[in-house]
Amino acid sequence: MDKVVIDNSKCVGCGKCVMDCVASSLYLDGKKAKFREGCIECGHCFAVCPTGAIDMPEYDTSESIPAVSMSEIDSDILLSAMKSRRTIRQYKNIPVEQEKIDKIIEAGRYAPTGANSQNVAFTVLGSKQAALEKECVKLFRTGVGIGSVFSKSLKNQNIDDNFFFKKAPLVIVVSAHNTVNGTLASAYMEIEANSLGLGVLYSGFFCGCTKLNPKIKAMLNLPKGHKAVTCMIIGYPDVEYKRSAPRKPHKTQTL
């Protein structure tokens, strides 16, 4: 099956799909767009075609929506919100609605991936959340300085039963073959979560546990070849910040 199918009756030969094809898999022939091998399934041709002449049979294109420009979001409000974002470690005892979980994961699904690999996966801990936290706490409590590989300040912290997930109602592990892809997806997900009134904590400690303890990694049952890139702890914040926190001056150079 061809990855891209072109309806000649709708194609007007504008060439927009050809110009925007990163893999040069499209070309004009007799004022009609034609498809050849090499497609990475990025969907640019589907999205850019002014007449809807292009279809991608292996995908559910019915979920496609009219394009919305990021410029429709007030840039000053967006930047202020980003500056005001804080890592949340105190959560209300309120479950996160399934509708909001679906939106957070959908945001991650649409994040960019290298070569359009789309190889990011999302694991909601759900019924295993308590058991996984118990294993991680056990690991950190075993031996003196077991957590020093993560943080010098850990020696001053009390590793209680809720040390990892902070009693939050939702934990999502983002995994991928590629760290950059998983990180980009996580950033998209955090912005969506924040817009839904939720707070997020990235637990590097938990991801570290998946590397130290094969049992913890096995409990996650990640797709083959995947590694835990981020662990997103999510819930309704039980703390309110009044102002943005200071930052060091940025380091920027123009070459």
Side-chain angles (χ1 to χ4, degrees), residues 212-226:
L212 288 172
N213 189 324
K215 179 180 179 180
I216 293 172
K217 185 175 182 179
M219 289 174 68
L220 283 176
N221 193 31
L222 300 179
K224 186 177 180 180
H226 275 222

Side-chain angles (χ1 to χ4, degrees), residues 126-144:
S127 61
K128 287 189 176 181
Q129 182 172 321
L132 278 161
E133 183 164 39
K134 184 177 181 179
E135 287 297 324
C136 289
V137 168
K138 185 192 304 183
L139 178 64
F140 265 45
R141 285 175 175 168
T142 301
V144 177

Side-chain angles (χ1 to χ4, degrees), residues 67-76 78:
V68 177
S69 172
M70 289 289 288
S71 64
E72 295 189 26
I73 303 173
D74 185 282
S75 61
D76 290 331
L78 178 61

Side-chain angles (χ1 to χ4, degrees), residues 79-98:
L79 182 57
S80 293
M82 287 180 167
K83 288 182 176 180
S84 301
R85 184 215 67 84
R86 304 303 308 149
T87 295
I88 301 300
R89 293 178 175 84
Q90 301 176 63
Y91 297 94
K92 294 179 180 178
N93 186 23
I94 301 174
V96 177
E97 301 87 339
Q98 187 61 48

Side-chain angles (χ1 to χ4, degrees), residues 56-68:
M56 299 179 68
E58 296 182 9
Y59 288 81
D60 179 9
T61 55
S62 66
E63 68 179 10
S64 178
I65 62 171
V68 177

Side-chain angles (χ1 to χ4, degrees), residues 88-238:
I88 301 300
R89 293 178 175 84
Q90 301 176 63
Y91 297 94
K92 294 179 180 178
N93 186 23
I94 301 174
V96 177
E97 301 87 339
Q98 187 61 48
E99 179 185 0
K100 293 188 177 182
I101 297 174
D102 292 342
K103 286 184 176 181
I104 293 168
I105 292 175
E106 189 74 346
R109 184 166 77 103
Y110 272 84
T113 54
N116 191 43
S117 56
Q118 299 184 50
N119 63 350
V120 180
F122 314 98
T123 301
V124 180
L125 298 195
S127 61
K128 287 189 176 181
Q129 182 172 321
L132 278 161
E133 183 164 39
K134 184 177 181 179
E135 287 297 324
C136 289
V137 168
K138 185 192 304 183
L139 178 64
F140 265 45
R141 285 175 175 168
T142 301
V144 177
I146 185 68
S148 61
V149 294
F150 305 113
S151 172
K152 293 180 180 179
S153 63
L154 191 61
K155 62 181 180 180
N156 298 320
Q157 298 185 40
N158 176 32
I159 305 175
D160 61 20
D161 292 342
N162 307 116
F163 176 78
F164 285 87
F165 301 149
K166 314 299 182 186
K167 298 182 180 180
L170 174 65
V171 179
I172 301 176
V173 173
V174 180
S175 65
H177 295 278
N178 181 288
T179 299
V180 173
N181 291 346
T183 303
L184 286 171
S186 303
Y188 270 49
M189 294 166 72
E190 182 184 14
I191 291 172
E192 179 66 19
N194 291 163
S195 76
L196 295 169
L198 299 164
V200 177
L201 162 66
Y202 290 105
S203 178
F205 289 142
F206 179 82
C207 290
C209 286
T210 67
K211 299 175 183 177
L212 288 172
N213 189 324
K215 179 180 179 180
I216 293 172
K217 185 175 182 179
M219 289 174 68
L220 283 176
N221 193 31
L222 300 179
K224 186 177 180 180
H226 275 222
K227 59 184 176 182
V229 177
T230 65
C231 173
M232 303 181 69
I233 298 164
I234 304 171
Y236 288 97
D238 198 20

